[in-house]
């Protein structure tokens, strides 16, 4: 396996990390079992299988060569040892409590940046695995592929091979260069226009904003996690009755849960419309270099101030339609695209500042992580629940990640433990908001 340079956005994630704000993704999977030793067996399997997954052997090494000064590359670690990455913990009665503490800890940057933590359940009939992958090593899709490599084999339908165009010679391209110049100029001007549009949209997004203190915090470096499970059939009932997409309903549930949570805290929801960043993948399927992050995003105001549940859903639906019509390449949510226009050394020097500026860009992350529809297993034990966990940006107190797996929606919640000591109350608010939407739609 050869090394490859980090894409600009990957390099940005690598450089904006700090001890208090690690940039790793997580997924907490809960497995059913029939033996108290199942967790230990699962840890042995993970360590044995990790050695055969090439992507798990990759470390990230900084570069200082003239042509890549300040950049970084993924390359095989000659000293790779799976036992440095797979860890078996003591039995616990609360998987999320342990996962929160583990999510606090940055990954070791000198090794391949991933870990798998096996958490046996005190009940003897379940165990959990917390996977952590640095965002520079893998985005959600790539992390899923890497995790699948250490789970039990699954028969997936094969896709037809994609035709590969033969390489073109250099001479014909040179002959066409004069004709290509106008297009290149137009492309460069378009990039400039897009950057200005993104900047202007970002500036407009801050106008008339009431800060939401519950969603901001001084960096404590602590983490707390929680999970909520929702029946996908209930989501479809709301969608069919009220309109919009499944994603619209899931985002509207977050808005309603925030309203309930703020009211219960006594903070109030009047005039509150926090900016939610909704990441959008721009990766094309079966590209030559699947490791690189290709992300944009939509930025919407969550209608927390709106008292009517269906009114909140309608506002979310309208905002999402507006974003989709504009496309993922424009608007304040597309700031990540500007990483392509920053030199490697710029990411190196400006990474910490970019991280600190996240609070000026959005207030809360609401992201969807795709999962396969087939059942996953480890050591023959079925994966019953899986909670995606997103990184927290500096100055932000709460992030929401959502996955649908085998007919159920899993909300994975990550919070600054000091700023949000009542994360379980927010989790209950998510469940209550789904019930309210159902009752309103069925009335």
């Amino acid at each position: 396996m050869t090394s490859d340079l980090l894409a600009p956005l990957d390099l940005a994630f690598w450089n904006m990390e700090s001890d208090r704000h690690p940039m790793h993704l997580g997924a907490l999977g809960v497995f059913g079992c029939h033996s108290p030793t199942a967790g230990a067996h699962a840890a042995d399997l993970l360590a044995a299988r990790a050695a055969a997954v090439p992507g798990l052997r990759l470390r990230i090494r900084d570069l200082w060569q003239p042509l890549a000064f300040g950049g970084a590359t993924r390359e095989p670690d000659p000293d790779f040892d799976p036992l440095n990455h797979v860890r078996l913990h003591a039995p616990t009665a609360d998987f999320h409590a342990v996962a929160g503490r583990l999510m606090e800890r940055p990954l070791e940057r000198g090794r391949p940046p991933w870990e798998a933590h096996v958490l046996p359940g005190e009940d003897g009939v379940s165990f959990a695995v917390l996977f952590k992958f640095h965002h520079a090593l893998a985005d959600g899709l790539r992390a899923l592929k890497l995790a699948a490599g250490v789970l039990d084999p699954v028969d997936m339908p094969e896709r037809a091979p994609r035709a590969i165009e033969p390489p073109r010679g250099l001479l014909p391209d040179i002959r066409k260069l004069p004709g290509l110049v106008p297009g290149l100029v137009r492309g460069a001007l378009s990039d400039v226009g897009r950057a200005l549009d993104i900047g202007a949209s970002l500036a407009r997004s801050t106008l008339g904003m009431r800060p939401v203190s519950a969603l901001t915090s001084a960096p404590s470096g602590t983490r707390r996690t929680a999970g909520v499970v929702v029946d996908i059939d209930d989501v479809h009932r709301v969608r069919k009755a009220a309109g919009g997409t499944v994603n619209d309903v899931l985002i509207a549930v977050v808005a309603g849960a925030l309203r309930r949570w703020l009211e219960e805290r006594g903070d109030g929801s009047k005039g509150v419309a926090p900016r939610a960043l909704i990441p959008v993948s721009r990766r094309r399927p079966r590209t030559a270099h699947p490791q690189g992050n290709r992300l944009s995003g939509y930025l919407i105001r969550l209608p927390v101030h709106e008292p009517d549940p269906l009114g909140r859903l309608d506002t979310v639906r309208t905002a999402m339609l507006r974003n989709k019509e504009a496309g993922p390449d424009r608007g304040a949510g597309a700031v990540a695209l500007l990483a392509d226009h920053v030199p490697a050394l710029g990411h190196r020097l400006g990474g910490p500042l970019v991280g600190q500026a996240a609070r000026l860009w959005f207030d809360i992350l609401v992201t969807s992580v795709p999962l396969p529809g087939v059942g996953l297993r480890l050591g023959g034990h079925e994966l019953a629940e899986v909670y995606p966990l997103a990184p927290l940006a500096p100055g932000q107190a709460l992030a929401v990640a959502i996955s649908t797996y085998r007919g159920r929606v899993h909300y994975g919640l990550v919070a600054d433990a000091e700023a949000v000591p009542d994360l379980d109350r927010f989790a209950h608010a998510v469940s209550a908001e789904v019930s309210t939407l159902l009752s309103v739609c069925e009335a």
Side-chain angles (χ1 to χ4, degrees), residues 13-278:
F13 287 136
W14 187 244
N15 285 301
M16 71 173 61
E17 180 175 67
S18 67
D19 288 343
R20 291 191 172 187
H21 288 93
M23 291 302 299
H24 54 249
L25 312 169
L28 180 66
V30 180
F31 297 80
C33 65
H34 302 288
S35 168
T37 62
H41 178 56
D44 290 340
L45 278 177
L46 292 173
R49 293 172 177 175
V53 181
L56 295 179
R57 305 178 70 95
L58 296 178
R59 67 179 179 180
I60 296 177
R61 185 172 65 87
D62 295 331
L63 295 176
W64 300 106
Q65 288 90 338
L67 296 180
F69 194 77
T73 182
R74 299 184 193 88
E75 62 179 28
D77 182 359
D79 301 318
F80 175 70
D81 183 350
L83 296 180
N84 290 329
H85 301 264
V86 179
R87 294 157 194 177
L88 177 64
H89 294 258
T92 178
D94 190 339
F95 296 138
H96 278 288
V98 178
R101 293 192 293 271
L102 292 172
M103 286 294 288
E104 294 177 4
R105 305 176 188 174
L107 295 164
E108 282 199 45
R109 292 171 73 91
R111 295 174 178 168
W114 69 274
E115 292 174 353
H117 297 269
V118 182
L119 315 175
E122 284 185 352
D123 54 13
V125 296
S126 65
F127 67 90
V129 179
L130 173 67
F131 287 103
K132 294 168 57 177
F133 295 96
H134 197 286
H135 219 319
L137 178 70
D139 62 6
L141 290 172
R142 176 69 173 166
L144 172 62
K145 183 177 179 180
L146 292 174
V150 293
L151 298 178
D152 292 356
V154 176
D155 292 329
M156 300 290 288
E158 293 186 3
R159 294 181 178 179
R162 186 179 183 182
I164 301 176
E165 295 183 4
R168 300 176 180 177
L170 179 61
L171 186 57
D173 289 339
I174 292 176
R175 289 173 178 172
K176 294 178 181 179
L177 187 57
L180 294 175
V181 169
L184 293 174
V185 172
R186 285 194 299 271
L189 292 176
S190 176
D191 285 347
V192 172
R194 182 172 60 185
L196 292 174
D197 178 65
I198 292 171
S201 297
L202 181 60
R204 289 194 298 270
S205 73
T206 63
L207 297 177
M209 182 185 70
R210 173 190 157 184
V212 187
S213 58
L215 298 180
T216 59
S217 69
S220 72
T222 60
R223 293 292 181 272
R224 187 184 304 273
T225 76
V228 183
V229 180
V230 174
D231 194 321
I232 190 62
D233 289 339
D234 290 342
V235 177
H236 281 300
R237 291 188 187 98
V238 174
R239 177 188 62 80
K240 291 176 181 178
T245 67
V246 166
N247 201 41
D248 294 339
V249 176
L250 298 178
I251 295 171
V253 166
V254 175
L258 284 171
R259 177 182 175 85
R260 291 173 179 272
W261 180 57
L262 291 174
E263 292 290 345
E264 290 176 3
R265 281 177 141 220
D267 294 343
S269 58
K270 184 177 180 181
V272 174
R275 298 162 301 172
L277 177 65
I278 317 294

Side-chain angles (χ1 to χ4, degrees), residues 13 16 23 202 205-206 209 215-216 274-279 298-300 332-333 335 354-366 391-400:
F13 287 136
M16 71 173 61
M23 291 302 299
L202 181 60
S205 73
T206 63
M209 182 185 70
L215 298 180
T216 59
R275 298 162 301 172
L277 177 65
I278 317 294
Y298 298 145
L299 199 68
I300 71 170
V335 167
V354 171
Q356 293 297 328
R359 71 180 71 187
L360 303 177
W361 177 19
F362 63 96
D363 303 297
I364 183 173
L365 178 73
V366 182
L392 272 185
Q396 297 181 342
L398 178 64
V400 180

Side-chain angles (χ1 to χ4, degrees), residues 371-397:
L371 291 177
V374 297
L376 300 174
R377 293 175 178 270
L378 177 57
H381 304 292
E382 185 174 357
L383 177 63
E385 303 170 17
V386 55
Y387 301 96
L389 304 172
L392 272 185
Q396 297 181 342

